[in-house]
Amino acid sequence: MSYRTRLDQAWLHTLTLPLHPDSGYILFSDCHRADGRANDNFLKNEFLYLAALRYYDRRGYTYLELGDGDELWENRSMEKIKEMHPHSFELLARLQSERRAYFIYGNHDLQKKDAGFCKKYLSTYRNSHSLRDHPLFPDSCFYSGILLEDPLHKKNIFLTHGHQVEIMNSTFWKVNRFLVRYLWKNLELLGAPDPTSAAKNNTKKDRAEKRLCAWASENNLILIAGHTHRPMTGSKNSPYFNTGSCVHPAGITGIEIEHRTITLVKWSLGTKSDQTVYVKREVLGENVRIDDC
């Protein structure tokens, strides 16, 4: 099966949401929430993530997570991940209950494709204040992709994780999970990069991005993905965008879609002249009009 066929299959099982001029979406990917141990790369950036989500919440945005939200290759227990990040799950649960949060699965959390897994592990969470179970994703459904449908019939936007372009991260994902869980996770602590990861291998990253861009052009779509962890804006000649990730040492990146404009943003720490530390939002590159793609 070719990567084109795998992306075509992801396209067949999408959720469709409207892309109105007044729509506001924030796209994050590759949070890799884990259980708080040394390999929990999300933990150091969680306060940035929460600050960003509260900013978008106040402005009425809808949250779209483009896969690898939870690190289920290196961690066996979804319960421990929820226990470690209660504030993130509380906020996501409220947004989901208001129909303002939707989720795509990636290769590192592909188990979410299974309705039985979701019902068992993602239907409730333990509230950190009341210490009681509350609904998390009671009608939990994680998608292979999300289509933002343009009512002006100019250009639709397809969102997916992007792992479909690599056979070892899609068809044979369990083999890669075994290698990461029992080999590369331990070697990573000693400084050895995981060669199976597109996020840590520039050759794999370049090949994945070329394939995603080619598929988007062939289908006359704007494609926004994650997976490679490399934030990127597209153009009319290259209709491929990437959100980046929430595990970069220098901060987190994401994509805003508002007023028919796509904006790549970064959230990080800044300092004021009085030495006060604050969370700052900055735009990376130029805004891209959807009508121009």
Side-chain angles (χ1 to χ4, degrees):
M1 183 187 297
S2 71
Y3 77 87
R4 288 182 172 86
T5 302
R6 293 192 294 270
L7 283 169
D8 289 343
Q9 289 184 341
W11 167 266
L12 293 176
H13 300 93
T14 60
L15 167 72
T16 299
L17 297 173
L19 183 60
H20 297 303
D22 59 349
S23 298
Y25 293 105
I26 173 60
L27 285 56
F28 282 130
S29 180
D30 295 270
C31 298
H32 291 276
R33 293 178 291 264
D35 62 3
R37 290 182 292 179
N39 61 342
D40 189 345
N41 295 318
F42 174 73
L43 187 61
K44 64 182 181 298
N45 285 341
E46 186 170 19
F47 69 99
L48 295 173
Y49 175 82
L50 289 170
L53 256 62
R54 287 165 181 151
Y55 169 92
Y56 295 116
D57 181 23
R58 291 193 299 270
R59 286 159 176 77
Y61 278 61
T62 295
Y63 174 79
L64 304 178
E65 188 170 278
L66 273 57
D68 284 4
D70 299 301
E71 178 51 69
L72 297 176
W73 279 14
E74 296 184 7
N75 304 278
R76 290 177 173 272
S77 174
M78 187 67 223
E79 292 300 326
K80 289 183 179 179
I81 295 174
K82 290 191 296 182
E83 290 172 4
M84 190 63 217
H85 303 287
H87 300 298
S88 292
F89 282 104
E90 286 174 15
L91 182 50
L92 293 176
R94 180 173 62 75
L95 291 173
Q96 196 272 348
S97 69
E98 297 172 1
R99 296 294 186 266
R100 290 201 294 130
Y102 300 91
F103 302 84
I104 291 170
Y105 55 79
N107 51 310
H108 280 252
D109 57 359
L110 206 142
Q111 294 96 312
K112 294 175 181 176
K113 182 179 180 179
D114 181 5
F117 177 91
C118 294
K119 183 176 181 179
K120 183 175 182 179
Y121 296 110
L122 290 165
S123 59
T124 62
Y125 74 98
R126 181 62 57 91
N127 184 282
S128 61
H129 303 292
S130 66
L131 299 180
R132 294 168 54 190
D133 287 337
H134 292 263
L136 177 55
F137 306 135
D139 54 348
S140 181
C141 188
F142 293 80
Y143 302 92
S144 60
I146 295 173
L147 178 68
L148 300 182
E149 191 170 47
D150 188 350
L152 301 181
H153 304 293
K154 291 189 176 181
K155 185 77 75 169
N156 293 334
I157 302 177
F158 180 56
L159 316 176
T160 193
H161 184 61
H163 65 286
Q164 298 92 338
V165 298
E166 298 174 317
I167 192 169
M168 292 302 295
N169 280 318
S170 52
T171 305
F172 301 115
W173 68 275
K174 289 185 178 179
V175 175
N176 256 6
R177 182 182 65 177
F178 177 87
L179 293 173
V180 168
R181 181 174 289 176
Y182 298 107
L183 178 61
W184 295 114
K185 179 179 74 171
N186 297 319
L187 291 178
E188 185 180 20
L189 297 176
L190 301 176
D194 176 3
T196 69
S197 171
K200 301 173 184 177
N201 184 309
N202 286 334
T203 300
K204 288 179 176 289
K205 193 176 299 188
D206 292 341
R207 182 174 60 188
E209 290 170 349
K210 287 178 181 178
R211 288 178 171 182
L212 290 166
C213 186
W215 186 87
S217 297
E218 291 164 5
N219 288 275
N220 192 32
L221 293 163
I222 296 172
L223 174 63
I224 304 179
H227 186 55
T228 66
H229 292 202
R230 180 154 62 186
M232 183 178 297
T233 55
S235 64
K236 186 172 184 177
N237 296 324
S238 180
Y240 161 70
F241 296 71
N242 195 291
T243 56
S245 78
C246 294
V247 295
H248 194 277
I252 68 175
T253 58
I255 286 179
E256 301 171 1
I257 301 177
E258 187 179 30
H259 304 311
R260 301 184 62 78
T261 299
I262 302 174
T263 305
L264 180 65
V265 296
K266 177 182 177 181
W267 290 83
S268 60
L269 282 180
T271 56
K272 298 180 180 179
S273 58
D274 63 357
Q275 299 180 338
T276 303
V277 178
Y278 69 102
V279 175
K280 65 178 181 178
R281 169 192 170 275
E282 56 184 312
V283 175
L284 301 179
E286 296 183 359
N287 297 339
V288 179
R289 293 281 299 170
I290 293 172
D291 298 339
D292 295 335
C293 287

